[in-house]
Structures are given as C-alpha cells and as structure tokens.
Amino acid sequence: MKQDTFELHHRQDWAAFETWLTYAALPLRQRNAQQPPFPAHELPQRYRHLCQQLALARDRDYSLSLVERLHALVQQGHDLLYGAQGNLGQRVWRYAAGGFARDVRRERWWVLAAALLLFGPQLTMMLAVHLKPDLAYLILDPQQLSQIEHMYSHEVKNLGQVAREASTDFQMFGFYIFNNVSIAFRCFAGGISAGLLTIFALVHNGLFFGVIEMRLIQAGLAENFHSFVIGHSGFEMGAIVLSGAAGLRLGFAVLAPGQHTRSAALAHTARSLIGMVCGLAVMLVIAALIEAFWSPLRLAFPIKLGVGSLLILTPLLYFLFAGRRDGS
C-alpha cells in the first residue's frame, strides 16, 4: 500500500486519537463539559491499532515525518493508558517490566538473523572439528587451546581459573564486564559499516565458541565446561545476539535509507534502538555477576545444570511474554 493511501485510510482515526489525548489532558471540570471523540472503553483497542500502524509504517519505509508522528502518538497513548508519566525510576521500571521485551519482539527478524549468524557458525565449527580436530588451529593456536583445556581440567580449584587474571571475584567481575561489553560493542557499532563488521563479529565469535566447546568435549572436559558456562550463557549470549541484531538494523538503515538521507535514517534507527541497547547492557552486567561469582564454583553437576537451565529460561520467557498487555 502506498503511503498516500495508507494516510488517507487512517487519517480520521489518528485525528480522533489526537483529539482524545487533548481531551484527556483537560481538567476534570472541562472534560465533563465536553464530548470526547470516542468512548473511553475504545481507547485500548484504538491504541493497539495505532501500534500496528506504526509497525507497518516502519516496515514499509514510509516517510520519517509520518513514522515520528505515529511514534509520538503511540508514546502519548502508552503514557495515558499505563500512567507512564512519573519519575525516572518509575519509567525505567516500566520499561524493564515490559517495554524492553516489546522492543525485542519488534526487532524479532533481526534478532533471528543475528542468532543464525552466531549459532550457525558455532554448530558448523563443532561438526568440522569433530570430524577433523586439526581445523581448530585455524581459529586458535596450540598454546591457547592448551591453556583453555587447563582452565576446565579436573585439577583446577575453580573452573576457568587460568583465565581469571585478577585475584578476587570482584576484580573478575570487572574483567568480565570489559570482555562482554567489548564483544557487544563490536557487534553493535559494526552496523555503521553497512553491517559488514557486525556480521564478521558474530561469525567470528560463533567459530571461536564452536572450536572451544568441541575441543573440550574431545578432551573429556565437557561436564566441567558446561558446568561453568550454563549459568551465565543465557544472559551473555542473549545480549550478544541482541547487540548483533541492533548492528544489523543499523546496517540496513545505511544500505536502504529509503526516502531519507543515510545520516537521517541512521540517526532515527539509532534512537529507536536506545532502549534495547540499554537493556542488553543490563543483561551483560547480570551475566558478568553470574560468571564471576557462580560459574567458577565446583558444585554437583545436577545443581549447576538445574540453576543454569532456570537462568536460561528466565530471559527467554521474559522476551516471549512480558509487556503483552497492549497486544504487542
């Protein structure tokens, strides 16, 4: 559908919604003296329709002015429906309770693409190394592989202790923050290269993870390795996938700016991704906390497996179900 036809078809609904927003902002005495443009019970349904129309306008690459107008209406409608007017802490809490999940679902196709670019090479490399172990040396040199194998050996007191370059868990927390953020930043910032650096970062990390996992399985250290990674992998890998999705979204804005200039399209896309980037940053902090204080512990494997499975399911269920009150 062309933009002109789309606007003509929905123009009256948008005008009515704007009128309702103006009406709702009036003092109670003035509201009682006026007739609203539509009954109050219709507001949730009209808001859901407006959310769908905003999504269509973005997907069809309609003009920036139209997208921004609909985005403003959706934001004001959300504020009206859910009382988003409030202090910063309240707004952050409401975004964490559902807004982050809605943003991720809105970018679900980019999330899927990023996941394929990360986990596809990982599984492929695991199979390749399984069939021909020497292929591991294409990614890591023998000394690195030997060090990694020792990190998860049966002799070490804490799993991953060779890589633990700091002397305390708090220092390791800082180390993991730096490491995780650097990977996520490369995935996200690579979007300005039309997505090429994002793709490279995702594929490279997938190959790296695949080599390590298969070599440790071949060395008989699978239980130690999975005991270490299962606790934090849900948050860490999830955040890397989301940063990759954001980078691919930026790259697409560079390649296909539509009716906008590339700089305008890039700026608009970056603004729309701010919330998701902040959310994935929190995921990286959570992952670093788990990796520093829980993952190295030598506990019975069923315990680590049970807790780790719960920690993987938690963000997955959040992204699937949180924030669905408005039908998104």
Side-chain angles (χ1 to χ4, degrees), residues 47-269:
Y47 173 72
R48 288 193 293 270
H49 290 165
L50 192 62
C51 291
Q52 294 166 1
Q53 291 153 16
L54 172 60
L56 286 173
R58 283 172 169 160
D59 290 342
R60 294 172 179 173
D61 203 23
Y62 289 156
S63 69
L64 184 61
S65 59
L66 175 61
V67 171
E68 289 185 340
R69 179 192 178 192
L70 294 179
H71 183 270
L73 287 176
V74 166
Q75 186 63 55
Q76 293 175 63
H78 182 276
D79 292 349
L80 184 63
L81 277 170
Y82 304 119
Q85 300 96 335
N87 60 40
L88 178 62
Q90 291 173 326
R91 293 197 298 271
V92 169
W93 170 251
R94 273 186 284 266
Y95 184 76
F100 181 29
R102 286 193 297 270
D103 283 352
V104 170
R105 290 195 296 271
R106 185 190 68 200
E107 306 293 348
R108 57 189 176 276
W109 297 115
W110 297 109
V111 173
L112 177 60
L116 290 174
L117 287 169
L118 180 66
F119 296 120
Q122 179 180 0
L123 295 174
T124 300
M125 199 63 183
M126 287 180 68
L127 177 60
V129 173
H130 172 70
L131 296 175
K132 192 172 182 181
D134 288 347
L135 289 175
Y137 300 123
L138 294 175
I139 306 298
L140 295 169
D141 61 47
Q143 183 178 358
Q144 289 174 311
L145 286 172
S146 177
Q147 184 182 47
I148 290 171
E149 288 177 4
H150 184 66
M151 286 166 51
Y152 302 99
S153 68
H154 302 299
E155 290 75 27
V156 295
K157 180 180 179 181
N158 293 315
L159 296 172
Q161 73 173 23
V162 175
R164 294 166 67 82
E165 299 171 1
S167 58
T168 68
D169 289 340
F170 285 102
Q171 289 175 313
M172 282 311 304
F173 169 64
F175 170 79
Y176 289 134
I177 283 285
F178 175 80
N179 183 67
N180 294 346
V181 168
S182 65
I183 295 174
F185 178 77
R186 287 194 294 271
C187 292
F188 173 60
I192 63 175
S193 65
L196 293 177
L197 292 179
T198 296
I199 294 172
F200 174 80
L202 289 169
V203 171
H204 178 266
N205 280 286
L207 296 173
F208 180 80
F209 298 150
V211 166
I212 291 176
E213 184 165 5
M214 182 49 65
R215 284 304 296 258
L216 291 173
I217 291 173
Q218 292 172 333
L221 302 173
E223 184 173 307
N224 289 347
F225 173 70
H226 291 130
S227 176
F228 179 80
V229 302
I230 193 171
H232 60 268
S233 61
F235 286 95
E236 182 178 303
M237 301 297 277
I240 292 174
V241 167
L242 293 183
S243 64
L248 293 175
R249 185 74 176 84
L250 284 179
F252 184 75
V254 173
L255 289 173
Q259 303 175 14
H260 325 133
T261 64
R262 280 187 168 79
S263 59
L266 190 62
H268 173 69
T269 301

Side-chain angles (χ1 to χ4, degrees), residues 226-227 230-231 294 300-312:
H226 291 130
S227 176
I230 193 171
W294 168 261
F301 186 64
I303 296 175
K304 297 292 286 287
L305 181 63
V307 174
S309 298
L310 181 62
L311 291 171
I312 289 174

